Amino acid sequence: MGNDGGSIPDRRDLVKSKKKAEQADKANQTRAVWFFCALSKRPLQEPIVSCALGKLYNKDAIIEHLLDKTAYGDAEKICGHIRSLKDIKVLKLTPRSPPPPPDSSADVAQFVCPLTFKEMNGGQPFVYILTCGCVFSQSGLRTVLGSSPSNGNTAAADDEQLEVCPQCGTKFSRSSDVLMINPPLEEEERMYAAMELRRSLEPVKKSKKRKAGADGVTEEVTTKKKKASPEGHSPSPAPGLNPKISAASRSLAQSLAVEEAKRKAGMSDAVKSLYRSKNDAPRKETFMTMGTFTRYA
C-alpha cells in the first residue's frame, strides 16, 4: 500500500523517537576550567588566584569585577561569593621546565606539582594550602604528610597538630586549610558549606565608640560653661590691645573733634539751626517741619 507511487513507509518514518540529550565534551570542559579564567574566560596568566570553592581566576579579572559588578554578565553566578580581595588567595605555582612554546597549538600545562612533577592539566587532582597558597598534586601532598588531607572539612579535633608546608614551611591544618582545585560537584558543595561555616565564626565588626568616662567629663565641662554664661554661651576672653594702637586711636579722635569744632564755628546761625546734637532736647515740630528729615551733627 503505497502513498506516492509505490513507496512503503516503515516504522522509523511513522514513529518519532525521543532525541537523546546532547552531552558536553568532557575534554573541552576540563580544558576550560584548567587553562582559562572562570570569570573572564581568558587564558590563565599569573598572578592566578583561587577562591574558597577552588575555582581559578586571573587576579585582574577579579579586581575588575569588584570595581564594577556589571563588567561580566554571569559574575554573580560564578563568583558571587567573593566579597573582597580577602576572599581569594594568590597561588604559588611551579612553572613547567622547560616552559611550553608560546606558539604551540596543543594544550600543554604551564605548571606542575613541585613534589611529583605531574602536570596541572586536569588529569590529576590538585590542591592548594589556604595559609600560604602553595599548590601540590593531591597524591604528592598525601605522600609527604603520610595521610589523606580532608579537603573542605573544618570539623577538626581539638588535639590536632599543625602540619608544615613542604615548599615554604608555613604551618597549616590538614582538616581546614587544604582545598581542592576545580573539585567535582559534590566536593564543591562540601567546600561551600565549610566556607559558610568559617564566615559565621568570623567576629562581627563593631563601630568605634567613645569611652563613657570621656563623655561624662565633656558633659560636665559643658554644663559649667552654660551656668557661667547667662545666655548659655561660653564667655570669650577679651583680646589684649596694643598700647601703641590705643594711643594712636585716641589722638586721631581728638584731632577729628577739633576739626569739627572749627567747622561749626565758621557757620552762620541759619546753618547752625539745621544741625543739632543728639543730646539736645527735641524741638516742637510745626506743620512746616513735621515729618522732615532731621540731621544730626
Side-chain angles (χ1 to χ4, degrees), residues 32-222:
V33 297
W34 287 96
F35 291 91
F36 294 88
C37 172
L39 179 60
S40 64
K41 309 301 186 291
R42 302 189 186 115
L44 289 173
Q45 295 179 351
E46 292 188 287
I48 299 174
V49 299
S50 182
C51 62
L53 303 183
K55 297 180 181 180
L56 299 177
Y57 312 91
N58 289 329
K59 188 175 182 180
D60 56 351
I62 293 295
I63 295 176
E64 186 178 359
H65 163 66
L66 294 176
L67 294 177
D68 183 10
K69 298 293 184 179
T70 61
Y72 302 97
D74 54 351
E76 188 64 26
K77 180 180 179 181
I78 296 174
C79 58
H81 56 283
I82 298 179
R83 304 166 299 180
S84 65
L85 292 178
K86 294 181 180 180
D87 294 333
I88 59 176
K89 187 67 179 181
V90 179
L91 301 181
K92 299 178 182 178
L93 298 164
T94 303
R96 177 177 178 170
S97 181
D103 56 348
S104 62
S105 58
D107 295 330
V108 181
Q110 303 180 24
F111 310 102
V112 297
C113 171
L115 302 177
T116 61
F117 296 101
K118 292 181 179 180
E119 295 182 354
M120 185 176 164
N121 56 5
Q124 297 288 334
F126 272 69
V127 296
Y128 78 92
I129 300 176
L130 187 61
T131 55
C132 60
C134 295
V135 179
F136 307 97
S137 64
Q138 191 178 39
S139 60
L141 186 62
R142 185 188 299 115
T143 303
V144 173
L145 299 180
S147 61
S148 177
S150 56
N151 299 321
N153 184 15
T154 56
D158 297 337
D159 57 348
E160 179 187 5
Q161 295 181 357
L162 297 179
E163 301 290 342
V164 178
C165 174
Q167 186 173 11
C168 65
T170 304
K171 293 184 178 182
F172 66 95
S173 172
R174 265 188 282 181
S175 61
S176 59
D177 294 335
V178 180
L179 303 181
M180 182 179 288
I181 298 176
N182 292 325
L185 183 59
E186 295 180 359
E187 182 65 23
E188 183 178 345
E189 292 177 356
R190 287 195 294 268
M191 294 172 65
Y192 185 84
M195 178 190 68
E196 293 293 334
L197 179 60
R198 285 195 301 269
R199 290 183 177 180
S200 64
L201 297 177
E202 293 178 357
V204 181
K205 295 182 179 179
K206 296 182 180 180
S207 58
K208 296 182 179 179
K209 296 182 179 180
R210 295 181 179 178
K211 295 181 180 179
D215 291 343
V217 173
T218 306
E219 292 178 0
E220 184 178 356
V221 173
T222 306

Side-chain angles (χ1 to χ4, degrees), residues 266-277:
M267 294 181 181
S268 61
D269 295 338
V271 175
K272 287 182 179 180
S273 63
L274 298 176
Y275 297 91
R276 66 187 184 90
S277 178

